[in-house]
């Protein structure tokens, strides 16, 4: 009985391909790497045959064909000791293996994007979208309203790295007021990547969240220095933490001068809640979080929040999410549309 197409699991695994040309001879790269790795791992032609589900004769024929294609001996057979790669064969195996490892993350990322398209074709329904994102209230609300997505709340750096490694479909991140291309890895890897789409979604106002009424009279960022005020920080790798550290450097302050620098929370809401309960006096965060908890807000500046995805992901998938978030940003205090490119 034939399994209905909409019940078949769909998965995509992309691998190293291409051709290696030596003179007038052509060798398939993936086949060459598979054979060489099998010899290296099995240590005998019989082991290669078993690993590749070939007869002993077929395994030898494939090895001889590869040697003929490259014009050099690749395998050395020693009586009583099995078979091993020659120095030349080992060098070829390492070169191709390094190329495969270097492309592994990009291939995994593109494989996810192709899989998303094929799932929709086979099942007539989109695959659940995997999102890794720095925390933002509007984004979380929009994702929940749209449905069909799973969100992992991470720091901006980790979210982008997961996208680059092919572990998620979409990454949400922010960098403070710093341009994308000047933000260092992994953010700078997104700037000129032709295989990725990076879209600004909104601008968000960030600043110091302070106790209601600002009873301690904090007027400017440098006021945080010394032991008078208790600060609550964001986790390492978050966009807000990166911005805070840049602000310290700009004002010539050391982390040791900030009481509570090592106290970390993972969302804007969590930072606001700590201040609202009186456990801390200040923390850097979004105006929207400060207003939800009735806190005083001292503006530091505006930053751009981005969404990034593989260019192979169906365009309507990313565009639909961006439109939903942008619509909420238009009517929410502390947010505004990003500048047009």
């Amino acid at each position: 009985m034939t399994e209905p197409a909409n019940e078949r699991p769909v998965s995509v695994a992309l691998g190293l391909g291409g051709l290696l040309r030596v003179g007038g001879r052509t060798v398939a790269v993936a086949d060459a790497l598979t054979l060489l790795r099998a010899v290296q791992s099995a240590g005998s032609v019989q082991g290669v045959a078993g690993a590749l589900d070939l007869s002993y004769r077929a395994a030898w024929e494939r090895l001889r064909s590869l040697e003929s294609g490259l014009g050099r001996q690749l395998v050395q057979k020693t009586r009583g000791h099995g078979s091993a790669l020659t120095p030349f064969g080992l060098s070829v195996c390492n070169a191709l293996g390094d190329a495969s490892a270097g492309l592994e993350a990009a291939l995994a990322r593109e494989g996810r994007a192709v899989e998303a398209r094929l799932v929709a074709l086979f099942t007539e329904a989109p695959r659940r979208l995997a999102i890794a994102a720095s925390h933002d209230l509007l984004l979380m609300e929009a994702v929940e309203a749209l449905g069909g997505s799973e969100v992992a709340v991470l720091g901006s750096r980790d979210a982008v790295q997961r996208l680059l490694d092919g572990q998620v479909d979409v990454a949400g991140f922010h960098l403070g007021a710093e341009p994308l291309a000047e933000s260092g890895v992994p953010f700078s890897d997104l700037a000129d990547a032709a295989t990725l789409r990076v879209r600004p979604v909104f601008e968000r106002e960030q600043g110091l969240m302070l106790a209601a009424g600002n009873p301690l009279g904090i007027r400017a960022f440098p006021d945080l220095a010394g032991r008078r005020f208790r600060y609550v920080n964001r986790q390492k790798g978050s966009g807000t933490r990166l911005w805070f550290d840049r602000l310290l450097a700009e004002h010539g302050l050391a982390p040791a001068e900030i009481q509570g620098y090592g106290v970390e929370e993972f969302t804007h809401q969590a930072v606001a809640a700590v201040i609202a309960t009186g456990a801390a006096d200040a923390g850097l965060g979004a105006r929207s979080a400060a207003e939800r908890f009735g806190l005083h807000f001292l503006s530091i500046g505006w930053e751009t929040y981005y969404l990034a995805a593989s260019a192979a992901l169906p365009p309507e998938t990313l565009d639909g999410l961006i439109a939903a978030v942008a619509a909420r940003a238009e009517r929410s205090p502390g947010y505004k549309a990003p500048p047009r490119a």
Side-chain angles (χ1 to χ4, degrees):
M1 182 176 178
T2 303
E3 184 181 14
N6 61 0
E7 294 181 7
R8 295 175 189 163
V10 178
S11 63
V12 175
L14 303 180
L16 185 67
L19 299 174
L20 177 60
R21 293 185 174 88
V22 181
R25 299 180 294 271
T26 300
V27 172
V29 171
D31 290 346
L33 181 57
T34 298
L35 274 173
L36 294 173
R37 280 179 166 172
V39 173
Q40 189 177 37
S41 176
S44 70
V45 177
Q46 186 63 54
V48 171
L52 302 182
D53 196 22
L54 301 170
S55 68
Y56 182 84
R57 180 177 179 180
W60 258 122
E61 287 179 352
R62 288 185 62 175
L63 286 168
R64 291 192 184 105
S65 176
L66 180 58
E67 288 182 331
S68 176
L70 296 180
R72 298 282 290 273
Q73 184 180 3
L74 301 171
V75 179
Q76 177 68 50
K77 188 175 182 180
T78 305
R79 185 181 297 276
H81 295 281
S83 300
L85 295 177
T86 63
F88 177 80
L90 182 60
S91 294
V92 172
C93 183
N94 289 340
L96 298 182
D98 289 346
S100 179
L103 292 170
E104 186 175 348
L107 290 171
R109 184 176 66 245
E110 299 311 304
R112 287 190 65 92
V114 172
E115 182 181 293
R117 290 191 170 195
L118 295 183
V119 166
L121 291 175
F122 278 101
T123 67
E124 299 181 357
R127 172 173 61 75
R128 288 186 67 82
L129 204 63
I131 303 173
S134 175
H135 184 262
D136 179 81
L137 294 169
L138 293 193
L139 175 65
M140 301 306 158
E141 290 173 356
V143 169
E144 183 177 0
L146 287 173
S149 299
E150 299 173 354
V151 183
V153 177
L154 303 170
S156 288
R157 188 186 302 277
D158 289 340
V160 169
Q161 194 61 59
R162 284 202 183 186
L163 173 66
L164 294 174
D165 290 344
Q167 298 178 35
V168 296
D169 302 299
V170 178
F173 64 97
H174 58 104
L175 304 163
E178 194 166 55
L180 181 62
E182 299 174 14
S183 299
V185 294
F187 307 108
S188 55
D189 293 338
L190 301 173
D192 299 312
T195 59
L196 294 167
R197 295 176 68 202
V198 182
R199 297 278 302 277
V201 185
F202 52 73
E203 286 196 359
R204 180 174 68 178
E205 191 176 17
Q206 288 251 50
L208 290 177
M209 300 188 290
L210 310 169
N214 191 16
L216 298 179
I218 298 174
R219 303 298 179 192
F221 185 85
D223 291 347
L224 297 178
R227 312 303 296 177
R228 181 182 174 193
F229 306 121
R230 298 164 300 164
Y231 186 77
V232 54
N233 214 343
R234 287 292 304 280
Q235 81 277 18
K236 297 179 182 68
S238 69
T240 301
R241 173 67 167 267
L242 294 172
W243 195 0
F244 184 73
D245 287 345
R246 287 197 298 270
L247 287 169
L248 288 179
E250 290 170 9
H251 288 88
L253 301 175
E257 296 180 70
I258 307 299
Q259 182 183 186
Y261 179 85
V263 178
E264 299 178 352
E265 294 291 343
F266 282 78
T267 67
H268 295 274
Q269 286 192 105
V271 171
V274 170
I275 298 168
T277 60
D281 303 311
L284 189 62
R287 176 183 285 276
S288 57
E291 294 195 353
R292 290 198 180 197
F293 282 83
L295 302 178
H296 186 80
F297 185 77
L298 180 63
S299 181
I300 295 295
W302 291 79
E303 63 174 358
T304 301
Y305 193 101
Y306 299 87
L307 289 178
S310 165
L313 192 73
E316 61 273 14
T317 301
L318 185 62
D319 292 343
L321 178 57
I322 289 173
V325 178
R328 291 174 180 271
E330 288 178 357
R331 56 180 186 268
S332 301
Y335 292 86
K336 62 183 180 181
R340 292 185 178 181

